[in-house]
Amino acid sequence: MTVQISAAFDSGNIRLIAIEDDRIDLEIVKDHESDFYQWFHFRAAGIRGRALTFRILNAGGSAYPDGWPGYRARISTDRQAWTTVDTRYAGGVLEFDWPASSDADADIAWFAYFAPYSMERHHDLVGRMAAMPGVAARQLGATLDGRPLDCLTLGEGAKTVWLYARQHPGETMAEWWMEGALDWLTDADNADAAALRRKATFHIVPNMNPDGSFRGHLRTNAAGVNLNREWHDPTPERSPEVLAVRNAMDQTGVTFAMDVHGDEAIPANFLAGFEGIPGWTDALGAKFYRFRDTLAERSALFQTRQGYATAPAGKANLSMSTNQLAERFGAVAMTLEMPFKDHEDLPDPATGWSPDRCRRLAHDCLANLAAMIDDL
């Protein structure tokens, strides 16, 4: 049987270049109206009994080629369980093989940069949460492709907390984290969650970039715009997603904010803060550092040794959400980064950094917030 390659589905991205015997040559497609690319997600059919090598020929020209060394592609035969597969990178080409362990008897397999979080699963999450007691769902606006921008609100406390994810749509670990956060907050048996809801009101945007998510983009929306460079001056034409969320934040104010992302190169979970904003104070910065450092004490899935360099005084980029919210509201704002590779302090050779561990890290983050909410 001839091997068949397809990416014509929710979050799919690949272009078939050639099939020569048992070698399949592919390219990742650029984000629309953009030069960014790195996210891939495709299925291969007609593979039973075959020993195949998949080659992504343009990996070396991707947005973050430093993300490929040490990276392992994800594979699934049921789109539920995702495992890693041995992956090689040399000469600008990324390679991985089929079969992978016990999957050899399957007719079809899916391959992805990270475990996908489809728009269908997003709608399931929003619907499930909207039916929970004490949760209100609203549409903040519409994307350029006409998709709803969903926000879930819960809690009744005076502190205002905003959690938002997937400004960069290919960073699917961010919405897996959101699923874990929502499950923790709505758990009727969780006394810490109940106490936190009494002290804080949460506004949660699980997916800031539905268009890019569906289109299979790495980093941009339908107009090819990086949403996390729009927070200083969002417009309906370029970044309606940011405009809708920032307008809603202006109405509520922001005490604490977390922007959830994934990082291609660093094999660790870490936080980036708002050093360098014009309105920096040591008192505000101390609250961020306390959250970061106590999270490292609480969670084996988090560390503080690796991360991004901080901006010099007065040099923060206010087009990025964390800096903009800290400056605009005096908020304790931060960016959470999770790896596409593995968390090297606690590696899992079978799954790498995984959806389950994204959800567990969300639980740890919220338990940490509950412990210090009174001091924000």
Side-chain angles (χ1 to χ4, degrees):
M1 180 181 295
T2 301
V3 175
Q4 297 169 309
I5 304 296
S6 175
F9 47 78
D10 184 342
S11 79
N13 182 320
I14 210 71
R15 178 188 296 120
L16 176 64
I17 301 301
I19 299 177
E20 297 183 9
D21 298 324
D22 291 327
R23 191 184 74 198
I24 295 127
D25 287 345
L26 308 162
E27 287 186 347
I28 303 173
V29 180
K30 292 180 178 180
D31 292 5
H32 180 64
E33 300 292 338
S34 168
D35 288 331
F36 286 113
Y37 70 89
Q38 193 134 353
W39 170 261
F40 63 89
H41 182 198
F42 65 92
R43 66 171 238 172
I47 60 176
R48 184 189 295 269
R50 305 287 295 272
L52 304 171
T53 296
F54 295 89
R55 305 197 310 169
I56 297 181
L57 303 181
N58 64 342
S62 63
Y64 303 100
D66 288 346
W68 299 126
Y71 163 79
R72 291 166 62 89
R74 271 58 169 192
I75 183 173
S76 177
T77 56
D78 61 7
R79 301 198 305 157
Q80 301 298 316
W82 291 84
T83 57
T84 62
V85 59
D86 287 341
T87 304
R88 306 171 295 280
Y89 178 68
V93 176
L94 191 77
E95 291 189 0
F96 41 88
D97 299 326
W98 170 270
S101 66
S102 61
D103 296 330
D105 291 335
D107 290 313
I108 300 174
W110 285 260
F111 300 84
Y113 188 27
F114 192 81
Y117 201 103
S118 70
M119 285 307 301
E120 284 304 304
R121 189 178 184 105
H122 166 85
H123 291 303
D124 289 343
L125 174 65
V126 170
R128 178 165 63 87
M129 287 297 149
M132 298 287 285
V135 179
R138 57 182 169 139
Q139 180 176 327
L140 298 181
T143 67
L144 292 169
D145 284 345
R147 292 187 173 87
L149 192 62
D150 294 310
C151 181
L152 298 160
T153 298
L154 64 154
E156 58 276 353
K159 306 292 177 69
T160 303
V161 177
W162 278 84
L163 307 175
Y164 52 104
R166 289 189 84 179
Q167 291 200 76
H168 300 150
E171 297 166 12
T172 55
M173 60 283 290
E175 197 157 6
W176 289 110
W177 186 98
M178 279 292 180
E179 185 175 291
L182 285 161
D183 284 337
W184 190 93
L185 284 166
T186 57
D187 182 355
D189 297 321
N190 186 335
D192 288 339
L196 184 56
R197 293 195 307 270
R198 288 193 295 270
K199 296 176 180 180
T201 299
F202 284 80
H203 303 280
I204 300 174
V205 182
N207 189 330
M208 283 278 298
N209 198 336
D211 292 350
S213 300
F214 187 85
R215 286 168 173 255
H217 286 188
L218 171 73
R219 199 164 174 85
T220 68
N221 69 357
V225 171
N226 177 355
L227 296 182
N228 204 27
R229 299 297 184 273
E230 293 286 305
W231 285 77
H232 63 307
D233 187 25
T235 66
E237 296 78 21
R238 286 175 52 86
S239 48
E241 304 91 345
V242 174
L243 182 61
V245 172
R246 204 190 70 176
N247 284 347
M249 290 175 169
D250 283 341
Q251 293 174 356
T252 67
V254 184
T255 306
F256 178 97
M258 183 178 285
D259 179 17
V260 189
H261 284 261
D263 183 88
E264 289 79 6
I266 298 176
N269 296 299
F270 60 95
L271 286 169
F274 49 91
E275 294 89 348
I277 65 168
W280 170 272
T281 67
D282 290 344
L284 184 62
K287 294 178 181 180
F288 163 65
Y289 294 138
R290 178 184 168 190
F291 183 90
R292 181 197 65 186
D293 295 345
T294 55
L295 180 59
E297 294 170 359
R298 178 183 299 274
S299 177
L301 299 175
F302 185 78
Q303 58 80 55
T304 59
R305 298 183 314 282
Q306 301 187 69
Y308 298 149
T310 57
K315 299 296 185 181
N317 184 349
L318 296 181
S319 71
M320 300 173 68
S321 68
T322 288
N323 294 328
Q324 178 65 213
L325 299 184
E327 180 70 17
R328 192 181 191 91
F329 301 105
V332 181
M334 61 198 71
T335 303
L336 174 65
E337 297 281 358
M338 292 175 283
F340 281 89
K341 295 180 180 178
D342 200 352
H343 181 51
E344 68 178 12
D345 287 348
L346 197 66
D348 186 328
T351 65
W353 185 247
S354 65
D356 180 62
R357 295 204 286 171
C358 294
R359 291 185 288 246
R360 286 164 50 199
L361 180 59
H363 299 172
D364 291 343
C365 288
L366 288 168
N368 201 54
L369 178 60
M372 64 175 290
I373 190 68
D374 290 334
D375 297 324
L376 294 179

